[in-house]
Amino acid sequence: MGKSLALLAAAFVLGGFLEAAVELTDNSTTHTDPFFNGTHRRVNLSEAVSEEDQSSRERPTEATAAETTSVTQTDKPLEEKDSEDDGDDRKTADKKVPLDCPPLGLESLKVDDSQLQASSYQRTGLGPHRGRLNIQSGIEDGDLYDGAWCAGHKDRHQWLELDALHMTLFTGVILQGRNSIWSWDWVQTYKVQLSNDSVDWKSCMNGTEEAVFVGNQNSETPVLSLLPVPTVARFIRINPQTWYPNGTICLRAEILGCRVDDPSHVYGSEQQPEPQDSLDFRHHNYKEMRKLMKSVNEECPTITRIYTIGRSYLGLKLYVMEISDNPGKHELGEPEFRYVAGMHGNEVVGRELVLNLMQYLCREYKKGNQRVVRLVTETRIHLLPSMNPDGYEFAYQKGSELAGWADGRYSFERIDLNHNFPDLNNIMWDAKELAADPSKVPNHYIPMPEYYTKDDATVAPETRAVINWMQEIPFVLSANLHGGELVVSYPYDCTRDWAPQEKTPTPDDAFFRWLATVYASTNLVMANPDRRICHNEDFQAHNNIINGGDWHTVPGSMNDFSYLHTNCFEVTVELSCDKFPHASELPTEWENNRESLLVYMEQVHRGIKGVVRDKITKKGIPDAIIKVEDHDHDIRSAPDGDYWRLLNPGEYKVIVWALGYLPSMRRCHVGMEPRPTICDFTLTKTPEERLKAIRAKGGKIPQDLQMRIRALRLRKLRASTKVINQRRESQRLQQEQALKTRKARTSRSLRA
């Protein structure tokens, strides 16, 4: 805006308020969301979204076959013809209108509670501090932390006031109704008033009349109204005029505005801190994400590799960036780590943090940053920025302020990917209850249930792709990046006996609590004792970590599946109160999380590691069972015989055995240092197996029953995925043929 904005601000400050001369028009539109059957949204004046999203957006117009490809086969590099990948020829660009000014921060909590006032309120839980866009209420009716500001009286003299603390060019208001499972309340129309001193108020004018803005038609859909003429003031009031007839005056809001420097003001010298790292701080749609990943690969070709693990329902590829000193290869003894972001498409902070992390690791490695060099050379890092690209593209189209709380959360098929993995918890618990000797029930590598592998099972292609990925790579540690809260949760996520909320620890509870604490304690916002709670739960009382089941039960979570089906330990990180913050907030989010992202990755080197070898051949033994005494959760060696067992400091009795071998025991000491203790094992074949090996002349020894079932179920899952892909491709081709036929008929009729 530059010079014109400064001149406009000066005129407003010296001459008072400029009455609007432009007539307010209602350009509200409605359409049906493909992700929410029958749900409508209303956007007032323009379908404007955040200022960073000025580039055109590419969006699939019809479904393509979803596929799950083996990660051992690298796809063509991104630089080889963009139109060849991802159905670019089937995408159209949706132009966006940028907002002139960003949100002031009611939703992101940049605006303090003390800056909000109201004419009245029903009770403390519905006070002005709750009038924040997308704030979520507690479950109980009358909760202390309810879901809106609600006026104490039902008349047109009620208002919610914001003190911006300094002179601000106000440009727009975004409104929502009350979040509640008990009440329906929203404001249908409202006026806006502005003031320099909170004493003398002037109404926002539409020509010679007071402007009346269109509000909400339901509780959740955000509605944007732009002021006819942007106006400079310090205070702004939202003055409801009409509301849902069966409800009362309740609203959640965000205010759009640009700060105007005022040297005489006490807050005039405040400036937003500059980020330490020069990274690409903006929201990246699918096309821009690919470009960024390609640029990192080109900048650091010796330590990066891009591959795909499958496609979404709409055919968008699930791209992964590998960062390692030997990309494309598992190195003996080197642990595998992953970050997964974007499981819920509208929780975008993780997506941008993962993209920033790619850039950061590349550049710091080139600079010789010893911490980063050590990470890259000693760890094989895999970064999946978008597990649900279809959902993200839908939320991105609406924009950071208008996406609401749930738009884009689910996959295109309306599947919540965080509940879409096999529920192995109850399979294990039920088996232990029925078993004569519960200690004989497998506690790890639990196979998928038979029903889950059928081609009519409700399993998203994105979930299938990630399961296949987990099978191909021996991951040791992972984090699943979400948004909407500030807390780190750890398994189990699913409770026993379907309790809605109950602490359900794993046998590795102590180490999971350590992992969660490592991230939470180094996160600048979580570690701040003076921070405000996001919505309705005070996680600071738990040191910003919580057992998943103790928060709310999540059957079929990726965390639990990862722990019970593979060797990988995984936690969920809720990164921010605002699921889809404005691009101007992204540098701050990076600063808040940079250290946490790095220190969490370093935890992959805690505990013990080693190689399980055959005594005679010296070759690694795959699928050897590693059991730690007093830890009722075993792990298995990787195909090369190497293993990693995450453990807290202490002395441990470790027993290793494999089919056809005599067991071996060692005592292993884990120190305080963040590096693993080497505990190698050499196993001797049983005499019977030696004789069998001689007679068979090198014949293969069959795997144990559990491993055979596990492998069989995976093959069935892949086979059903192939059937689904073929069916979708056939449907797509039929649709294309029908479209061509209709076009041909239309063309013939026009010629006739």
PDB file of all heavy atoms in Angstrom, residues 1 46-55 94-102 171 224 226 256 401 582:
ATOM      1  N   MET A   1       0.829  -1.203   0.000  1.00  0.00           N
ATOM      2  CA  MET A   1       0.000   0.000   0.000  1.00  0.00           C
ATOM      3  C   MET A   1       0.862   1.252   0.000  1.00  0.00           C
ATOM      4  O   MET A   1       0.568   2.217  -0.642  1.00  0.00           O
ATOM      5  CB  MET A   1      -0.835   0.026   1.253  1.00  0.00           C
ATOM      6  CG  MET A   1      -2.024  -0.824   1.171  1.00  0.00           C
ATOM      7  SD  MET A   1      -2.773  -0.738   2.733  1.00  0.00           S
ATOM      8  CE  MET A   1      -3.870  -2.038   2.545  1.00  0.00           C
ATOM      9  N   SER A  46     -17.096  -9.820  -1.331  1.00  0.00           N
ATOM     10  CA  SER A  46     -16.134 -10.516  -2.187  1.00  0.00           C
ATOM     11  C   SER A  46     -15.764 -11.815  -1.534  1.00  0.00           C
ATOM     12  O   SER A  46     -15.923 -11.988  -0.340  1.00  0.00           O
ATOM     13  CB  SER A  46     -14.875  -9.673  -2.404  1.00  0.00           C
ATOM     14  OG  SER A  46     -14.072  -9.697  -1.251  1.00  0.00           O
ATOM     15  N   GLU A  47     -15.276 -12.751  -2.322  1.00  0.00           N
ATOM     16  CA  GLU A  47     -14.777 -13.989  -1.752  1.00  0.00           C
ATOM     17  C   GLU A  47     -13.297 -13.821  -1.485  1.00  0.00           C
ATOM     18  O   GLU A  47     -12.464 -14.655  -1.836  1.00  0.00           O
ATOM     19  CB  GLU A  47     -15.051 -15.157  -2.684  1.00  0.00           C
ATOM     20  CG  GLU A  47     -16.523 -15.434  -2.802  1.00  0.00           C
ATOM     21  CD  GLU A  47     -16.781 -16.803  -3.373  1.00  0.00           C
ATOM     22  OE1 GLU A  47     -15.901 -17.665  -3.294  1.00  0.00           O
ATOM     23  OE2 GLU A  47     -17.876 -16.994  -3.876  1.00  0.00           O
ATOM     24  N   ALA A  48     -12.975 -12.683  -0.872  1.00  0.00           N
ATOM     25  CA  ALA A  48     -11.583 -12.373  -0.597  1.00  0.00           C
ATOM     26  C   ALA A  48     -11.038 -13.291   0.461  1.00  0.00           C
ATOM     27  O   ALA A  48     -11.720 -13.665   1.380  1.00  0.00           O
ATOM     28  CB  ALA A  48     -11.474 -10.921  -0.121  1.00  0.00           C
ATOM     29  N   VAL A  49      -9.775 -13.607   0.299  1.00  0.00           N
ATOM     30  CA  VAL A  49      -9.089 -14.399   1.311  1.00  0.00           C
ATOM     31  C   VAL A  49      -7.812 -13.676   1.677  1.00  0.00           C
ATOM     32  O   VAL A  49      -7.684 -12.487   1.457  1.00  0.00           O
ATOM     33  CB  VAL A  49      -8.812 -15.836   0.803  1.00  0.00           C
ATOM     34  CG1 VAL A  49     -10.109 -16.583   0.648  1.00  0.00           C
ATOM     35  CG2 VAL A  49      -8.057 -15.833  -0.492  1.00  0.00           C
ATOM     36  N   SER A  50      -6.872 -14.375   2.283  1.00  0.00           N
ATOM     37  CA  SER A  50      -5.708 -13.712   2.842  1.00  0.00           C
ATOM     38  C   SER A  50      -4.809 -13.100   1.779  1.00  0.00           C
ATOM     39  O   SER A  50      -4.739 -13.558   0.651  1.00  0.00           O
ATOM     40  CB  SER A  50      -4.923 -14.700   3.692  1.00  0.00           C
ATOM     41  OG  SER A  50      -4.749 -15.886   2.987  1.00  0.00           O
ATOM     42  N   GLU A  51      -4.067 -12.061   2.162  1.00  0.00           N
ATOM     43  CA  GLU A  51      -3.310 -11.275   1.212  1.00  0.00           C
ATOM     44  C   GLU A  51      -2.164 -12.042   0.582  1.00  0.00           C
ATOM     45  O   GLU A  51      -1.687 -11.694  -0.493  1.00  0.00           O
ATOM     46  CB  GLU A  51      -2.754 -10.022   1.901  1.00  0.00           C
ATOM     47  CG  GLU A  51      -1.758 -10.355   3.012  1.00  0.00           C
ATOM     48  CD  GLU A  51      -1.230  -9.101   3.667  1.00  0.00           C
ATOM     49  OE1 GLU A  51      -1.342  -8.038   3.053  1.00  0.00           O
ATOM     50  OE2 GLU A  51      -0.707  -9.185   4.772  1.00  0.00           O
ATOM     51  N   GLU A  52      -1.740 -13.125   1.243  1.00  0.00           N
ATOM     52  CA  GLU A  52      -0.631 -13.864   0.676  1.00  0.00           C
ATOM     53  C   GLU A  52      -1.070 -14.741  -0.475  1.00  0.00           C
ATOM     54  O   GLU A  52      -0.252 -15.242  -1.233  1.00  0.00           O
ATOM     55  CB  GLU A  52       0.031 -14.728   1.758  1.00  0.00           C
ATOM     56  CG  GLU A  52      -0.782 -15.956   2.175  1.00  0.00           C
ATOM     57  CD  GLU A  52      -1.848 -15.615   3.177  1.00  0.00           C
ATOM     58  OE1 GLU A  52      -2.058 -14.416   3.426  1.00  0.00           O
ATOM     59  OE2 GLU A  52      -2.474 -16.540   3.717  1.00  0.00           O
ATOM     60  N   ASP A  53      -2.374 -14.967  -0.639  1.00  0.00           N
ATOM     61  CA  ASP A  53      -2.866 -15.919  -1.620  1.00  0.00           C
ATOM     62  C   ASP A  53      -3.263 -15.214  -2.914  1.00  0.00           C
ATOM     63  O   ASP A  53      -4.375 -15.359  -3.390  1.00  0.00           O
ATOM     64  CB  ASP A  53      -4.065 -16.687  -1.051  1.00  0.00           C
ATOM     65  CG  ASP A  53      -3.669 -17.486   0.160  1.00  0.00           C
ATOM     66  OD1 ASP A  53      -2.477 -17.793   0.272  1.00  0.00           O
ATOM     67  OD2 ASP A  53      -4.548 -17.792   0.971  1.00  0.00           O
ATOM     68  N   GLN A  54      -2.369 -14.423  -3.500  1.00  0.00           N
ATOM     69  CA  GLN A  54      -2.704 -13.677  -4.694  1.00  0.00           C
ATOM     70  C   GLN A  54      -2.505 -14.508  -5.950  1.00  0.00           C
ATOM     71  O   GLN A  54      -3.008 -14.172  -7.008  1.00  0.00           O
ATOM     72  CB  GLN A  54      -1.842 -12.418  -4.785  1.00  0.00           C
ATOM     73  CG  GLN A  54      -2.065 -11.481  -3.592  1.00  0.00           C
ATOM     74  CD  GLN A  54      -1.240 -10.229  -3.726  1.00  0.00           C
ATOM     75  OE1 GLN A  54      -1.041  -9.725  -4.813  1.00  0.00           O
ATOM     76  NE2 GLN A  54      -0.739  -9.722  -2.618  1.00  0.00           N
ATOM     77  N   SER A  55      -1.737 -15.564  -5.834  1.00  0.00           N
ATOM     78  CA  SER A  55      -1.479 -16.391  -7.008  1.00  0.00           C
ATOM     79  C   SER A  55      -2.696 -17.235  -7.335  1.00  0.00           C
ATOM     80  O   SER A  55      -3.515 -17.530  -6.478  1.00  0.00           O
ATOM     81  CB  SER A  55      -0.276 -17.292  -6.752  1.00  0.00           C
ATOM     82  OG  SER A  55      -0.545 -18.140  -5.664  1.00  0.00           O
ATOM     83  N   ASP A  94      -8.447 -20.581  -9.815  1.00  0.00           N
ATOM     84  CA  ASP A  94      -9.467 -19.752  -9.177  1.00  0.00           C
ATOM     85  C   ASP A  94      -8.799 -18.463  -8.720  1.00  0.00           C
ATOM     86  O   ASP A  94      -7.978 -18.468  -7.819  1.00  0.00           O
ATOM     87  CB  ASP A  94     -10.074 -20.469  -7.961  1.00  0.00           C
ATOM     88  CG  ASP A  94     -10.860 -21.691  -8.381  1.00  0.00           C
ATOM     89  OD1 ASP A  94     -11.367 -21.669  -9.501  1.00  0.00           O
ATOM     90  OD2 ASP A  94     -10.950 -22.634  -7.581  1.00  0.00           O
ATOM     91  N   LYS A  95      -9.162 -17.356  -9.334  1.00  0.00           N
ATOM     92  CA  LYS A  95      -8.546 -16.092  -8.958  1.00  0.00           C
ATOM     93  C   LYS A  95      -9.030 -15.654  -7.587  1.00  0.00           C
ATOM     94  O   LYS A  95     -10.173 -15.855  -7.226  1.00  0.00           O
ATOM     95  CB  LYS A  95      -8.865 -15.028 -10.009  1.00  0.00           C
ATOM     96  CG  LYS A  95      -8.214 -15.308 -11.365  1.00  0.00           C
ATOM     97  CD  LYS A  95      -8.482 -14.182 -12.345  1.00  0.00           C
ATOM     98  CE  LYS A  95      -7.811 -14.459 -13.674  1.00  0.00           C
ATOM     99  NZ  LYS A  95      -8.049 -13.379 -14.652  1.00  0.00           N
ATOM    100  N   LYS A  96      -8.135 -14.990  -6.865  1.00  0.00           N
ATOM    101  CA  LYS A  96      -8.476 -14.552  -5.516  1.00  0.00           C
ATOM    102  C   LYS A  96      -8.314 -13.051  -5.393  1.00  0.00           C
ATOM    103  O   LYS A  96      -7.450 -12.451  -6.015  1.00  0.00           O
ATOM    104  CB  LYS A  96      -7.575 -15.247  -4.507  1.00  0.00           C
ATOM    105  CG  LYS A  96      -7.815 -16.739  -4.425  1.00  0.00           C
ATOM    106  CD  LYS A  96      -7.030 -17.298  -3.286  1.00  0.00           C
ATOM    107  CE  LYS A  96      -7.468 -18.733  -3.060  1.00  0.00           C
ATOM    108  NZ  LYS A  96      -6.854 -19.287  -1.867  1.00  0.00           N
ATOM    109  N   VAL A  97      -9.166 -12.484  -4.581  1.00  0.00           N
ATOM    110  CA  VAL A  97      -9.085 -11.052  -4.303  1.00  0.00           C
ATOM    111  C   VAL A  97      -8.381 -10.871  -2.970  1.00  0.00           C
ATOM    112  O   VAL A  97      -8.868 -11.338  -1.940  1.00  0.00           O
ATOM    113  CB  VAL A  97     -10.488 -10.417  -4.236  1.00  0.00           C
ATOM    114  CG1 VAL A  97     -10.371  -8.925  -3.997  1.00  0.00           C
ATOM    115  CG2 VAL A  97     -11.239 -10.699  -5.526  1.00  0.00           C
ATOM    116  N   PRO A  98      -7.216 -10.233  -2.929  1.00  0.00           N
ATOM    117  CA  PRO A  98      -6.482 -10.117  -1.672  1.00  0.00           C
ATOM    118  C   PRO A  98      -7.134  -9.118  -0.731  1.00  0.00           C
ATOM    119  O   PRO A  98      -7.705  -8.114  -1.158  1.00  0.00           O
ATOM    120  CB  PRO A  98      -5.098  -9.627  -2.115  1.00  0.00           C
ATOM    121  CG  PRO A  98      -5.355  -8.894  -3.394  1.00  0.00           C
ATOM    122  CD  PRO A  98      -6.500  -9.619  -4.054  1.00  0.00           C
ATOM    123  N   LEU A  99      -7.061  -9.407   0.560  1.00  0.00           N
ATOM    124  CA  LEU A  99      -7.497  -8.441   1.547  1.00  0.00           C
ATOM    125  C   LEU A  99      -6.408  -7.396   1.716  1.00  0.00           C
ATOM    126  O   LEU A  99      -5.224  -7.711   1.735  1.00  0.00           O
ATOM    127  CB  LEU A  99      -7.743  -9.142   2.889  1.00  0.00           C
ATOM    128  CG  LEU A  99      -8.872 -10.175   2.928  1.00  0.00           C
ATOM    129  CD1 LEU A  99      -8.956 -10.781   4.315  1.00  0.00           C
ATOM    130  CD2 LEU A  99     -10.188  -9.537   2.561  1.00  0.00           C
ATOM    131  N   ASP A 100      -6.818  -6.136   1.868  1.00  0.00           N
ATOM    132  CA  ASP A 100      -5.831  -5.072   2.015  1.00  0.00           C
ATOM    133  C   ASP A 100      -5.095  -5.164   3.346  1.00  0.00           C
ATOM    134  O   ASP A 100      -3.922  -4.824   3.433  1.00  0.00           O
ATOM    135  CB  ASP A 100      -6.516  -3.702   1.898  1.00  0.00           C
ATOM    136  CG  ASP A 100      -6.944  -3.404   0.466  1.00  0.00           C
ATOM    137  OD1 ASP A 100      -6.320  -3.977  -0.448  1.00  0.00           O
ATOM    138  OD2 ASP A 100      -7.887  -2.635   0.275  1.00  0.00           O
ATOM    139  N   CYS A 101      -5.799  -5.586   4.387  1.00  0.00           N
ATOM    140  CA  CYS A 101      -5.198  -5.632   5.721  1.00  0.00           C
ATOM    141  C   CYS A 101      -5.432  -6.991   6.365  1.00  0.00           C
ATOM    142  O   CYS A 101      -6.466  -7.622   6.133  1.00  0.00           O
ATOM    143  CB  CYS A 101      -5.789  -4.538   6.614  1.00  0.00           C
ATOM    144  SG  CYS A 101      -5.266  -2.876   6.134  1.00  0.00           S
ATOM    145  N   PRO A 102      -4.500  -7.439   7.183  1.00  0.00           N
ATOM    146  CA  PRO A 102      -4.635  -8.749   7.830  1.00  0.00           C
ATOM    147  C   PRO A 102      -5.539  -8.674   9.051  1.00  0.00           C
ATOM    148  O   PRO A 102      -5.920  -7.583   9.495  1.00  0.00           O
ATOM    149  CB  PRO A 102      -3.191  -9.069   8.237  1.00  0.00           C
ATOM    150  CG  PRO A 102      -2.594  -7.729   8.516  1.00  0.00           C
ATOM    151  CD  PRO A 102      -3.212  -6.796   7.501  1.00  0.00           C
ATOM    152  N   THR A 171     -10.556  -2.132   7.969  1.00  0.00           N
ATOM    153  CA  THR A 171     -11.033  -2.404   6.608  1.00  0.00           C
ATOM    154  C   THR A 171     -12.185  -3.396   6.546  1.00  0.00           C
ATOM    155  O   THR A 171     -12.889  -3.442   5.536  1.00  0.00           O
ATOM    156  CB  THR A 171      -9.891  -2.950   5.728  1.00  0.00           C
ATOM    157  OG1 THR A 171      -9.413  -4.179   6.298  1.00  0.00           O
ATOM    158  CG2 THR A 171      -8.747  -1.957   5.640  1.00  0.00           C
ATOM    159  N   LEU A 224     -17.617 -12.397   5.800  1.00  0.00           N
ATOM    160  CA  LEU A 224     -16.782 -11.202   5.717  1.00  0.00           C
ATOM    161  C   LEU A 224     -17.584 -10.025   5.181  1.00  0.00           C
ATOM    162  O   LEU A 224     -18.296 -10.157   4.186  1.00  0.00           O
ATOM    163  CB  LEU A 224     -15.597 -11.479   4.784  1.00  0.00           C
ATOM    164  CG  LEU A 224     -14.815 -10.254   4.273  1.00  0.00           C
ATOM    165  CD1 LEU A 224     -14.078  -9.569   5.425  1.00  0.00           C
ATOM    166  CD2 LEU A 224     -13.854 -10.654   3.172  1.00  0.00           C
ATOM    167  N   LEU A 226     -16.632  -5.992   4.154  1.00  0.00           N
ATOM    168  CA  LEU A 226     -15.625  -4.939   4.035  1.00  0.00           C
ATOM    169  C   LEU A 226     -16.280  -3.584   4.258  1.00  0.00           C
ATOM    170  O   LEU A 226     -17.412  -3.353   3.820  1.00  0.00           O
ATOM    171  CB  LEU A 226     -14.978  -4.987   2.653  1.00  0.00           C
ATOM    172  CG  LEU A 226     -14.247  -6.294   2.297  1.00  0.00           C
ATOM    173  CD1 LEU A 226     -13.717  -6.224   0.875  1.00  0.00           C
ATOM    174  CD2 LEU A 226     -13.132  -6.574   3.279  1.00  0.00           C
ATOM    175  N   LEU A 256     -10.341  -6.875  10.621  1.00  0.00           N
ATOM    176  CA  LEU A 256      -9.247  -6.657   9.679  1.00  0.00           C
ATOM    177  C   LEU A 256      -8.779  -5.218   9.785  1.00  0.00           C
ATOM    178  O   LEU A 256      -9.591  -4.284   9.804  1.00  0.00           O
ATOM    179  CB  LEU A 256      -9.709  -6.943   8.246  1.00  0.00           C
ATOM    180  CG  LEU A 256     -10.347  -8.309   7.985  1.00  0.00           C
ATOM    181  CD1 LEU A 256     -10.740  -8.421   6.521  1.00  0.00           C
ATOM    182  CD2 LEU A 256      -9.417  -9.429   8.383  1.00  0.00           C
ATOM    183  N   GLU A 401      -9.158 -16.818   6.776  1.00  0.00           N
ATOM    184  CA  GLU A 401     -10.147 -16.245   7.684  1.00  0.00           C
ATOM    185  C   GLU A 401     -11.556 -16.790   7.448  1.00  0.00           C
ATOM    186  O   GLU A 401     -12.411 -16.682   8.322  1.00  0.00           O
ATOM    187  CB  GLU A 401     -10.178 -14.717   7.537  1.00  0.00           C
ATOM    188  CG  GLU A 401      -9.063 -14.002   8.254  1.00  0.00           C
ATOM    189  CD  GLU A 401      -7.698 -14.326   7.678  1.00  0.00           C
ATOM    190  OE1 GLU A 401      -7.451 -13.970   6.514  1.00  0.00           O
ATOM    191  OE2 GLU A 401      -6.891 -14.962   8.370  1.00  0.00           O
ATOM    192  N   HIS A 582      -3.324 -16.351   9.442  1.00  0.00           N
ATOM    193  CA  HIS A 582      -2.953 -15.502   8.323  1.00  0.00           C
ATOM    194  C   HIS A 582      -1.452 -15.647   8.056  1.00  0.00           C
ATOM    195  O   HIS A 582      -0.670 -15.961   8.947  1.00  0.00           O
ATOM    196  CB  HIS A 582      -3.301 -14.050   8.665  1.00  0.00           C
ATOM    197  CG  HIS A 582      -3.151 -13.109   7.519  1.00  0.00           C
ATOM    198  ND1 HIS A 582      -1.993 -12.407   7.286  1.00  0.00           N
ATOM    199  CD2 HIS A 582      -4.016 -12.746   6.530  1.00  0.00           C
ATOM    200  CE1 HIS A 582      -2.143 -11.650   6.213  1.00  0.00           C
ATOM    201  NE2 HIS A 582      -3.361 -11.838   5.740  1.00  0.00           N
TER     202      HIS A 582
END
